[in-house]
Each structure stands twice: as structure tokens, then as C-alpha cells.
Amino acid sequence: MASSLLPRVLDYTERPNFDALGIFYIVFLGLYTFVVAAGLVGIFLQRKTVAVRIRGWKLTSLCIVFSHIYAGVVLCIYPENGAFKCGGEYWIMGIIFPLGLALFQAANMRLHAYSTRQRFLVHGNPGAIINVSFSRSQVTVRWKRLDALQKTYLAILLAFVIQVIVTTIVYFGSFRFHASYGIFSHHVNPTECRRGFEWIPTVVWQALWTFFVGPYVLFRTRSIHDTHYWALQTRLTIGMSIIGTPMWLAFVYSDSPAVIRLNRYVPTAFWFLPGLWALQLTSIILPLWDAHRERILFKRFSLDNQGLNSTDSLNEKQRSMAALDIALAKNIEPLLQWAARREFTAENIVFLKAVRDFRRKWRAVANIGTNHDTLLLELFEDAAYIYFSCVDRATAAFNINVDSQIYNKLKDTFRDVRISNRALDSPTSDHSEVCPFDDLKPFVMEMGGKGSRVRPDAYALPTTDIESKLPGQQTMVPEGFNIHIFDDAYKSVKYLVFTNTWQRYLDHSETSSRSSFSDPETTYFEYQTKR
């Protein structure tokens, strides 16, 4: 037992290295695995928070798991010594590690795609609101409808398939990994096995994801500065990952005595670990910290605590629900722009804006007093458009987050209709993609002998592509449909905006003197509070 604790080296013999350094590697891996597992549990528990949800907790978890598998294998190389075969390392370097890097870059591209589609919500770009399904025969149309993130996923899938094919051919075709069969090369000792042209494909994929995709992502996300530390996370992880491949190549192929001595205790693949650790820790710590900030804001500004706070100062009046109501009614655009660019929650503001305009239109139409059936059908179609573009989880590109009871109630209301694929066929739609009610014109007032009256045809009612699910059937307005159809969802979303988005927006306006939203918004509130 004592002899097994004597200092040893990584020489790839059959004898394992259970000396002090080997035990340290094993203990460190166990402790670090516990930390990562705890982080994954935290990610899962906080999956409904904005910080975790926008990143995609499943994709985040996959990145962490694959990177940890590789890190665990690397940390076990020294203790295992010769038990860790060259062929096993080749499969890890050729499949697991590149796949982890690919998923990592896909997560980074998600930041760019998410930010872009959030801005499209504001500008009403076709395709940003509705996820339209197409038939399998419309391959070209389907490809054009894909955003950058979806195309990235397809590219990663294609690259992974190619990587598996290349790795399989090289492994089974080379004598280097097995002496009994092969087509090219020759069998060598375990140390020399870890060199050679067979490793070129693994280097190519590492270089592709690290030196081409990584800088490309940094360039595309250079102007993003979000409140969820997502852009910061991307820059830190990509920056820390760049050094891995050059260091690995240097320590694999260098014949320097100093490098050879270090390789006896530190596996050459170890140089990828700093980047992987940065990936794991930032993917866990930053979103969980932001989720913690979200809970603090909710607790501080929840309506239950409103009565405990004084509203004498201008700042406290700005942070009240009444101030948010004023902004939603009169000046919603600055908040919408900020939510899209900084917090990536524009779908909530879009929904509040759409419901606000839907109510205004209902009240205006109610005063016309003519052809109620036709107008009610148009109002129902407008409401259905709001549902499919902002609420429905299958069709909304960014659906609002409401509880299941509210969601199921709305789903039941619009269960017999669907949005047609024609809705996004033309880039010049007659209605706004953000809100189909922005094109409403003021009533034209005709002065008569006893006062004024409204000309019903003065309204430019938008047309939406809502149709019945039953072929050949006309759209029917369900019983009980009225102006209050979105009240519960509106209240829920507005409360979420108040306790989170609104407070962060005001924090940003107060702390950033260069913000284009800061001075106008402060002046606006000063005007409102002094009235």
C-alpha cells in the first residue's frame, strides 16, 4: 500500500497512479462533479425564470454535461495511466469534445438570434411573431423561414455527422489504434499513438469551433449589452477557450525537456480545461445570480409591499404601478425598445400593447352602433391574432409566461380557429406584425345640426388571416367572447413587467446618463407627477 503512494509519472503503463497527485485528481473531480451537479439542479429549478429560460435550460445543461464528461476523462488520465487507452482518447477528442464545443457555440449563437428576433418584434418584421408550419414539399420556403439560430443547429448537425464519419473511418482504418487490423499507418507505443496525422481531424474541428465560429459569434454579438449577463458570459467563455488548442498542440508535439517533464504529471488535454471550466461556471453562476436578482426585485416591489413604502419622492412614484400604467397608456415605446435590446422580454410589452389597443378598438367600435355581427367577428379575429402571436406555445415565436389555468382558458376560446399560412406570405402585410391595431385612424367627425356623429367607414380595420380549422366552415365567434377575454393574462403579465422589467428599466435610466431613454423618461415622469 505504501509503495502505491510513492510519486509516479504518466507513462501509460498498466500500473495506475494512485500517488498523492493521482488521489488529488480523483478528489478534485469528485468535488467538482458535486458542484456541477448542484448547479444543474439549480438551473432546472430556475428554468422558468427569464435568465434561464432565454438561454434555454436544456441546451445549457447539455453543454455543461458534455464538457464535464470530457473534463472528467481528462482528470482521470493520470490516475488511470495505461488503463486509459489511446483509442479511447481518440474517440473522446474526436466526438465528445467537438460536440461539446459545437453545442457551446450554438448556445452563443442563440444570444445573437434571440437579440435579433427581439428587435424584429419591435419593428414588426414578418416571421418574428408567428411560427408558421409548412408542408414537407416546401423545402425552400422552410429554409428561408429559418432564423440564424435554426440554421446554426442544422449546420452543427451536419458537421457532427461528418465528424462521426471521419472519426470512424480513421479509427478503424489505422493500425495506430489497434495492431490486429487496419489499412494505413502502423502500430506504435501508447505515447507515440497520441501523435500522428490521425489526430488532424480532431485539430481541424477544434480550430473550426474555436478560431472561426468563436470570433464570428463575438463579432455578431459585439453590440449586445443585456441585463442578464448573457453577452458577458459569451465573451468570457469564448475568450477563455481560445488558448486551449494552441497549448494542446504545443504540449503534444513539442520535444522540449521542460514540456516532457510537465507532461509526466499533467495530461496534454488538460489545457482545454480552463475554457471548459469557464463555460461551466459562467453558465451556472451568471443565470442563477440573475434569477436571484429577479426574486429580490419581485419581493421588493410586489404589491404586497407597496403599502410599506413611502411614495413621497419622485423616484418612488416612478416605481409605482400607477407610473407603469401611465407609461403603458401614453408612452410605451421607450419601454418596448429597452425590453427588446436589454432584457429580451419584448414579448410581454408587445402583448400589453396589443391588448391595450384591442380594448381601445372594442370601445370605439361599440360606439359605432351598426353591423355588430361583422364588427364582432373582426374583433374576434384580432383577438385570435393576439393569441396566436403572443400566447400560443406552438405558434408564438416568443410566448408570454402565464399560468396553466389562464393559458388553457384562452386556448379553449380559440380552439376552433387557426392562423393561416398566408399570414406571413407577403412581407408587406396590411396589418402590423407587432400589433394589428396600430393602423387605426381617428374617427372622422361630421358636424350635424344637433351635434357630431361618427362615420363608421372612417376606421381602417385591419384584416388578419384567421380561419376555421374545419375546411369550408366560416369562423364563428364563441359564446362568451367579450372585451375582457385577455384581462387575466394582461394582469399577470403586467405584474411580471412591474416587478422585473419596469424596475430594471428605471435602474438603467438612473445609472446610465448616456442612455437615450433616460432623460426623456425622467422628464416625462416629472411632468406626470407634477400635474
Side-chain angles (χ1 to χ4, degrees):
M1 178 67 181
S3 61
S4 65
L5 296 177
L6 293 176
R8 292 182 51 79
V9 295
L10 181 60
D11 53 10
Y12 298 106
T13 61
E14 295 298 329
R15 185 179 179 182
N17 292 335
F18 289 143
D19 57 352
L21 181 58
I23 294 175
F24 170 78
Y25 277 127
I26 294 174
V27 172
F28 178 81
L29 175 59
L31 294 176
Y32 190 68
T33 300
F34 175 79
V35 172
V36 171
L40 288 173
V41 172
I43 292 292
F44 176 77
L45 295 177
Q46 301 297 325
R47 64 191 182 280
K48 293 185 178 181
T49 60
V50 176
V52 178
R53 179 166 51 85
I54 62 175
R55 287 171 168 88
W57 73 271
K58 293 181 181 178
L59 181 59
T60 299
S61 299
L62 281 177
C63 292
I64 295 173
V65 168
F66 274 99
S67 62
H68 193 69
I69 290 174
Y70 179 79
V73 170
V74 172
L75 291 173
C76 288
I77 290 177
Y78 181 87
E80 291 181 348
N81 204 9
F84 184 65
K85 303 299 181 181
C86 177
E89 183 174 346
Y90 183 77
W91 282 107
I92 294 294
M93 293 293 293
I95 300 296
I96 301 298
F97 186 53
L99 179 58
L101 290 178
L103 292 174
F104 164 58
Q105 298 299 357
N108 294 331
M109 278 300 297
R110 181 181 174 90
L111 167 64
H112 172 256
Y114 210 98
S115 174
T116 300
R117 295 194 75 179
Q118 282 281 311
R119 298 188 185 192
F120 284 167
L121 285 179
V122 176
H123 299 295
N125 187 74
I129 296 287
I130 301 293
N131 290 324
V132 180
S133 60
F134 298 93
S135 64
R136 294 182 179 180
S137 61
Q138 297 173 290
V139 177
T140 304
V141 177
R142 290 175 65 90
W143 174 257
K144 291 181 179 180
R145 294 295 186 187
L146 296 179
D147 60 21
L149 180 62
Q150 294 167 323
K151 292 179 180 179
T152 300
Y153 287 164
L154 288 179
I156 289 173
L157 178 60
L158 178 62
F160 179 67
V161 171
I162 295 174
Q163 175 72 359
V164 170
I165 294 174
V166 172
T167 302
T168 303
I169 293 175
V170 172
Y171 177 80
F172 288 103
S174 176
F175 282 104
R176 183 175 294 267
F177 304 110
H178 29 71
S180 59
Y181 59 92
I183 302 176
F184 48 84
S185 192
H186 58 278
H187 195 62
V188 294
N189 62 59
T191 301
E192 290 299 321
C193 178
R194 287 163 170 82
R195 300 184 177 187
F197 73 89
E198 289 87 352
W199 295 84
I200 291 178
T202 66
V203 177
V204 169
W205 288 111
Q206 294 167 32
L208 172 66
W209 297 117
T210 304
F211 296 108
F212 292 94
V213 179
Y216 173 76
V217 172
L218 287 179
F219 175 77
R220 295 302 299 267
T221 60
R222 67 192 183 279
S223 61
I224 299 176
H225 304 280
D226 61 290
T227 63
H228 301 294
Y229 313 112
W230 198 358
L232 174 63
Q233 171 188 336
T234 299
R235 290 159 190 149
L236 286 176
T237 50
I238 292 179
M240 289 293 293
S241 300
I242 289 178
I243 195 175
T245 300
M247 293 295 290
W248 177 73
L249 290 172
F251 277 81
V252 166
Y253 293 100
S254 175
D255 293 324
S256 169
V259 171
I260 294 175
R261 284 195 300 270
L262 186 58
N263 286 345
R264 294 175 179 175
Y265 305 101
V266 180
T268 55
F270 178 86
W271 301 105
F272 292 110
L273 296 190
L276 296 181
W277 288 336
L279 183 158
Q280 291 177 318
L281 293 178
T282 56
S283 298
I284 292 173
I285 294 175
L286 293 182
L288 291 183
W289 170 251
D290 191 61
H292 173 68
R293 291 175 59 227
E294 184 177 330
R295 290 195 302 271
I296 292 177
L297 286 173
F298 182 84
K299 183 177 180 180
R300 178 183 175 187
F301 295 102
S302 63
L303 296 182
D304 294 338
N305 296 328
Q306 286 292 296
L308 302 178
N309 300 322
S310 171
T311 57
D312 294 336
S313 67
L314 173 62
N315 179 269
E316 290 174 340
K317 288 183 178 179
Q318 291 177 4
R319 294 185 180 275
S320 66
M321 181 66 81
L324 174 60
D325 289 333
I326 293 174
L328 294 177
K330 299 182 179 180
N331 193 22
I332 199 173
E333 292 303 325
L335 179 61
L336 176 60
Q337 293 280 349
W338 185 87
R341 295 176 180 272
R342 295 280 185 164
E343 204 194 31
F344 304 150
T345 56
E347 66 274 10
N348 292 331
I349 314 302
V350 167
F351 174 74
L352 296 179
K353 179 181 180 181
V355 174
R356 178 201 69 180
D357 293 346
F358 169 76
R359 291 171 175 174
R360 289 177 178 176
K361 181 178 179 179
W362 186 292
R363 296 187 183 99
V365 168
N367 294 328
I368 295 178
T370 181
N371 201 7
H372 281 291
D373 292 339
T374 301
L375 294 177
L376 185 61
L377 178 59
E378 292 191 18
L379 287 168
F380 175 72
E381 291 180 345
D382 293 338
Y385 186 83
I386 296 176
Y387 169 76
F388 288 117
S389 63
C390 299
V391 183
D392 188 78
R393 294 164 186 168
T395 59
F398 297 99
N399 61 284
I400 59 174
N401 188 18
V402 293
D403 62 52
S404 58
Q405 183 177 359
I406 296 175
Y407 178 81
N408 290 332
K409 180 181 178 181
L410 291 174
K411 184 177 181 179
D412 184 66
T413 301
F414 302 101
R415 68 181 184 275
D416 295 329
V417 295
R418 64 186 178 188
I419 187 165
S420 170
N421 290 354
R422 297 188 305 272
L424 299 178
D425 280 348
S426 172
T428 56
S429 178
D430 290 336
H431 61 269
S432 168
E433 294 296 333
V434 174
C435 177
F437 319 116
D438 285 345
D439 56 356
L440 294 181
K441 306 298 188 299
F443 279 115
V444 176
M445 307 300 294
E446 292 185 345
M447 302 304 297
K450 296 183 178 180
S452 62
R453 66 182 181 89
V454 178
R455 229 176 47 216
D457 58 352
Y459 253 99
L461 292 174
T463 57
T464 58
D465 291 282
I466 303 298
E467 61 185 14
S468 175
K469 289 183 178 180
L470 300 176
Q473 296 292 326
Q474 293 184 345
T475 302
M476 301 296 294
V477 179
E479 185 178 354
F481 173 75
N482 54 50
I483 191 176
H484 304 293
I485 187 64
F486 292 112
D487 282 6
D488 292 338
Y490 184 90
K491 182 179 179 181
S492 176
V493 172
K494 188 177 77 167
Y495 190 66
L496 179 62
V497 169
F498 171 70
T499 56
N500 195 358
T501 306
W502 180 245
Q503 308 305 330
R504 294 191 191 216
Y505 169 62
L506 293 178
D507 287 339
H508 173 79
S509 298
E510 293 172 358
T511 58
S512 178
S513 58
R514 295 182 180 181
S515 171
S516 62
F517 310 124
S518 177
D519 294 337
E521 196 65 24
T522 302
T523 304
Y524 172 75
F525 277 113
E526 287 177 351
Y527 168 75
Q528 290 295 336
T529 53
K530 290 179 180 179
R531 292 182 63 180

